[in-house]
Every structure is written in C-alpha cells, then in structure tokens.
Amino acid sequence: MTWTPLIPDVVGEPIGLTEDSRTTRAWAGELPPADPSAADLAQVVSFASAAVYSRLRGADRVVRGWPAGFRRLAAMKVHLEAVERWHADCAPDEAPARLMPVLIDDRIRGSRSDLAWALRTADGYGLYDGAAHLLPGFIAASLSPAAVADFEPALRAVFADVVTQRSTPRPVRRLLGERYGTAIWRITGRLPLDLLPRHDPFGACVRDLLGERLDEPGAAEVLRHAASLTTSSPTRAWLRAGGAFTPRWPVTVVLGLFAEYRGHVFSTGDQLLRGLVWMLSQDPSGEATTLLGRVAVAAGPAGGHRPVAPQTAAAAAKVLAVVPARTA
C-alpha cells in the first residue's frame, strides 16, 4: 500500500540536514561523545545507536543530554540511513527503535514539511524492523491537532499497512502503534487505533459493544496507562498513577466484558488486560475481588489448552494470592 498520494502538498525539506562524510571508525564499546559537535553527525549517530542498542550504562543519559536541535538532526539522520539501508538491500536493524525514543522528547518539535518528507521517504520501506516508520510517527504525535489534521489519511494508511504486520518485532509494533495511534486520536478524539484494535478479536468485540462510550473523556488515558505496563508486576509509582485516573469505569467494564468473552486474544490485548487487572487490584471491595476471580477463570486454560490470556491470568492469580482477604 502506498500513502504518498495521501500526503498534503507541503513544500520543503528538513532544515539543517546536510551531507556529511561516512563513518570512518568502528564503535569500540565506548559511550557516545557528550559534546556531539566534536565529531561528524554520521559518526556520532553510529556510536549512539550502537551504545543505546547494547544498553551500555550511561548511554541513554548522554544522548538525552545533547542539545535538542542536534537530537532532531540525529533523528533525521537515523531515518535517512534506514531508508538508504532498505534501498541498498541490507539486513533489518532493530537499533533505530531503541535509539529514536531516546533522541526525541517533548522539547523537540518537527514541522509539517518534516512530516511530509519523512512519510514520503518511508513509503515502500520493506524491512520488518519498522525503522523508517518511526520518525513520521514521532513527528505526527508532536504536532498540534490542527497542524497534522490533513495528514490523517496518510497516518491511517501507515497504521493499517505497518503497525499490524506480525513480522515486525512486538516492541517495535507497540511503539509504532502508540505513536500513530496517539497522533490520530489527537485529530479525531476517537479511541486510539492501537488500544483495543480491531485486528484483535477481543478489541473488535469491545469496540462493537461499547461504541462511542470508548471516546468519552478519560477513557483513552486509562486504557493507555494499562497498556503501558510491560512487566509482570507494576512499580508503586505505576500503581499510584493508575489510581489517580478518572473515570474508573473503563477498568471494570472492559474486564467485565473479558470475563464473558470466549475467543482469541492477541498479545497486545493481553498486555492491556494485565494492566487493568493491576489497576483493579487497588480496589479492596468484594465486587472487585469477584471480578478478579472471573477474569482469572476466563484468562486461564480453555479445554485443557494453553491460557487464553497468559499475562492476564498470571496477574490475576498473583493479585488474588498476595491479598488473603480477597480469597477469604
């Protein structure tokens, strides 16, 4: 699928991105330079990519300490190199998906011309690593709804073509889904496409049953927080943040629908349900305990097979086990 015809007619190329020399030295395991202006852009990006991808201690902190203007150029360079790698028939590279969230934060704002350029150059990208689709998603999510509104058809096309690809690593799909889903949500006010997505049978079921109620204020934020839990057990800070959300109905309503659901659940839906279980764990009421028990049963093995939602089943069992009063 191509989305170039859907991109608004925006004139301009990225400001500040110039040709430079190719990397002349291989990474030797060191931290990227604290002063990025001391070396060639391609060299600095290469070292930062290797260090962050290798999870070298201190690498993320160094990169985040770079000036915002340089990090913007570095993100452009990562994108451009991903596109060039595709055209050169190189192997996939998962490093950009680790580096891009470190480079880009709330201090960096792209422009409409940056977004148009990034989408055009990414069109046709065929490697499963999703590297060329990262920058457009980050730029789109950083722009105001008014600035990005006419890009909605192109962003939806990327989501449909890229975010649902099962060959792309799950963490990369999750990152792309969150970026594009957030950008489109800010335009439309509708529940982000990556939360309870229609390509997940359970997500489609919930959307059909709840309809526009999912678009009510606060619902997306509650579900986004639940989906953000990427570990088997949350931190205290995550639980405190989850307890501050209003309204609370998405937690009990979605879990209640799952307790009655009989069907397949994708891993992303399982992860969201796990987060909802932990959010409900802060409710000591008997009704919450009963619902947790029903969720545990629904998420467990069906007909002697593997669990329907293993992450959710494990979370519900852990919550019920560590609070004796719940099972009394």
Side-chain angles (χ1 to χ4, degrees):
M1 181 178 184
T2 181
W3 47 80
T4 295
L6 304 174
I7 300 172
D9 187 15
V10 179
V11 179
E13 298 291 324
I15 298 173
L17 188 62
T18 59
E19 291 290 332
D20 52 15
S21 62
R22 291 294 178 184
T23 302
T24 58
R25 181 168 67 86
W27 183 60
E30 71 269 38
L31 286 169
D35 179 8
S37 64
D40 178 275
L41 176 62
Q43 180 85 76
V44 172
V45 167
S46 175
F47 284 6
S49 180
V52 171
Y53 181 69
S54 302
R55 290 177 167 79
L56 182 65
R57 185 175 182 180
D60 288 18
R61 176 181 51 79
V62 170
V63 172
R64 289 192 175 107
W66 290 347
F70 186 89
R71 284 188 285 116
R72 172 187 169 274
L73 290 179
M76 297 284 186
K77 188 66 175 177
V78 170
H79 173 83
L80 193 57
E81 289 183 347
V83 173
E84 292 173 346
R85 191 172 62 250
W86 158 243
H87 288 301
D89 200 24
C90 295
D93 183 7
E94 296 179 28
R98 282 277 298 123
L99 180 59
M100 199 68 79
V102 179
L103 286 170
I104 299 180
D105 59 20
D106 291 341
R107 291 181 294 167
I108 297 178
R109 289 286 185 270
S111 66
R112 284 173 52 81
S113 60
D114 289 345
L115 178 56
W117 170 80
L119 285 168
R120 279 196 307 271
T121 52
D123 199 354
Y125 185 81
L127 295 180
Y128 69 73
D129 56 22
H133 305 297
L134 293 163
L135 183 63
F138 274 93
I139 294 175
S142 76
L143 293 171
S144 69
V148 78
D150 54 348
F151 283 90
E152 182 188 349
L155 297 175
R156 284 183 177 274
V158 179
F159 187 94
D161 193 51
V162 175
V163 178
T164 60
Q165 290 293 329
R166 301 297 295 276
S167 58
T168 303
R170 189 179 304 166
V172 180
R173 287 204 314 272
R174 185 169 58 243
L175 176 60
L176 290 171
E178 191 273 334
R179 292 289 83 194
Y180 284 90
T182 295
I184 297 169
W185 167 57
R186 294 180 66 204
I187 297 169
T188 65
R190 308 290 300 273
L191 183 71
L193 297 175
D194 64 304
L195 296 175
L196 299 168
R198 285 201 169 274
H199 59 266
D200 178 345
F202 175 67
C205 175
V206 175
R207 284 178 176 265
D208 287 341
L209 290 171
L210 296 183
E212 293 183 357
R213 191 178 183 193
L214 290 169
D215 305 327
E216 291 180 6
E221 289 83 352
V222 170
L223 296 174
R224 176 69 71 200
H225 185 72
S228 73
L229 181 61
T230 58
T231 57
S232 59
S233 298
T235 63
R236 291 177 181 173
W238 188 93
L239 287 172
R240 283 196 302 272
F245 284 105
T246 54
R248 301 296 296 172
W249 69 260
V251 177
T252 55
V253 169
V254 174
L255 286 177
L257 290 176
F258 174 71
E260 300 295 328
Y261 177 73
R262 299 296 179 266
H264 185 59
V265 179
F266 284 10
S267 61
T268 51
D270 189 12
Q271 181 172 313
L272 184 147
L273 288 166
R274 176 180 63 185
L276 292 177
V277 164
W278 280 108
M279 292 175 77
L280 185 60
S281 73
Q282 302 304 287
D283 182 349
S285 70
E287 292 81 0
T289 300
T290 299
L291 179 53
L292 284 168
R294 293 171 58 214
V295 167
V297 172
H305 301 291
R306 65 183 298 276
V308 172
Q311 299 176 87
T312 305
K318 185 176 293 188
V319 170
L320 292 168
V322 298
V323 185
R326 290 189 179 275
T327 57

